[in-house]
Amino acid sequence: GAVVSQHPSWVICKSGTSVKIECRSLDFQATTMFWYRQFPKQSLMLMATSNEGSKATYEQGVEKDKFLINHASLTLSTLTVTSAHPEDSSFYICSASLLGSGEKLFFGSGTQLSVL
Amino acid sequence: SQQGEEDPQALSIQEGENATMNCSYKTSINNLQWYRQNSGRGLVHLILIRSNEREKHSGRLRVTLDTSKKSSSLLITASRAADTASYFCATVYQAGTALIFGKGTTLSVSS
């Protein structure tokens, strides 16, 4: 099956620093990737849809300048949490679809971000 | 707002028993999907059922879909301790392209 690789698995950073999370589709091309955020014992909340070669589409309430998404190639999307604060601490997960929108998603293993 | 709502929120059973989780959604869908998440990990796709299907099987999994009631159920038969995880239903909402997930059911299977 399709594999999505996400790095790093976990990161601890100081308040005010920026953190970059990478999401790669290893054996398929993903024109669209999705970024989700998950708080402990809660569901996944869609943050943004990342489109290769164009600007990401952010969900209502998600700050574009805070969560920078770049999808420069068909196999790589990055999420940068800028000027991170403790409230940004969360589990971030990326995903991609092999067959197109609305179909089965393949997920990365997630990144646990802890901001001190 | 989230598209799907699962119940129960938590379910504890013994190995060998069946586990049933339900999901309700709000708008018309093309398909409904179920995913599994082990603690602190990414999600794994379990099964997809299309709006013109009523029931689908995959191994020990059985999914039903009732579009008139906007609901779906996931049945895991002969559960095992390894089935312990959180289970989410997900659908695409409105004209969007992204899956929106329900709140999930946390299943604990004890041996």
Side-chain angles (χ1 to χ4, degrees):
Chain A
V3 177
V4 174
S5 175
Q6 183 174 344
H7 293 281
S9 297
W10 57 270
V11 57
I12 302 173
C13 68
K14 293 182 178 180
S15 186
T17 60
S18 294
V19 174
K20 179 184 283 188
I21 302 170
E22 290 189 351
C23 181
R24 294 180 184 274
S25 55
L26 296 187
D27 49 1
F28 67 102
Q29 293 183 333
T31 55
T32 304
M33 290 185 176
F34 306 95
W35 288 95
Y36 293 86
R37 179 175 182 175
Q38 185 180 33
F39 290 106
K41 300 188 185 303
Q42 294 189 24
S43 185
L44 283 73
M45 297 300 294
L46 179 66
M47 298 177 66
T49 301
S50 169
N51 302 296
E52 187 269 336
S54 63
K55 292 182 179 180
T57 303
Y58 291 82
E59 294 299 299
Q60 189 173 7
V62 178
E63 300 175 56
K64 301 178 183 181
D65 296 332
K66 176 76 171 176
F67 300 99
L68 299 179
I69 291 174
N70 184 281
H71 194 156
S73 78
L74 287 171
T75 59
L76 174 64
S77 176
T78 61
L79 168 67
T80 301
V81 183
T82 62
S83 186
H85 288 96
E87 57 265 31
D88 298 324
S89 298
S90 186
F91 190 59
Y92 294 87
I93 316 176
C94 69
S95 64
S97 175
L98 176 62
L99 299 177
S101 63
E103 296 294 321
K104 171 182 176 179
L105 289 181
F106 295 91
F107 281 83
S109 55
T111 298
Q112 181 63 53
L113 171 63
S114 296
V115 184
L116 304 178
Chain B
S1 61
Q2 294 186 6
Q3 173 74 322
E5 298 282 339
E6 287 96 331
D7 76 87
Q9 291 187 359
L11 181 60
S12 294
I13 59 175
Q14 297 285 321
E15 265 194 328
E17 294 180 339
N18 295 341
T20 299
M21 291 158 264
N22 302 296
C23 168
S24 60
Y25 57 91
K26 299 176 183 176
T27 63
S28 297
I29 59 172
N30 290 325
N31 67 63
L32 185 141
Q33 303 177 37
W34 285 90
Y35 288 80
R36 165 194 168 127
Q37 182 183 34
N38 286 78
S39 181
R41 302 293 294 173
L43 277 71
V44 174
H45 181 269
L46 295 176
I47 198 164
L48 180 154
I49 186 165
R50 300 197 182 278
S51 59
N52 61 352
E53 297 176 307
R54 291 296 168 260
E55 187 172 312
K56 202 163 183 179
H57 297 256
S58 177
R60 292 185 295 114
L61 306 180
R62 172 178 170 252
V63 169
T64 63
L65 180 64
D66 187 336
T67 52
S68 66
K69 295 181 179 179
K70 291 187 170 56
S71 67
S72 173
S73 68
L74 170 67
L75 168 67
I76 304 174
T77 61
S79 63
R80 305 165 181 168
D83 294 329
T84 295
S86 292
Y87 293 82
F88 297 91
C89 67
T91 61
V92 176
Y93 71 108
Q94 298 176 347
T97 58
L99 286 179
I100 303 301
F101 287 81
K103 293 182 178 179
T105 294
T106 299
L107 174 65
S108 297
V109 182
S110 53
S111 54

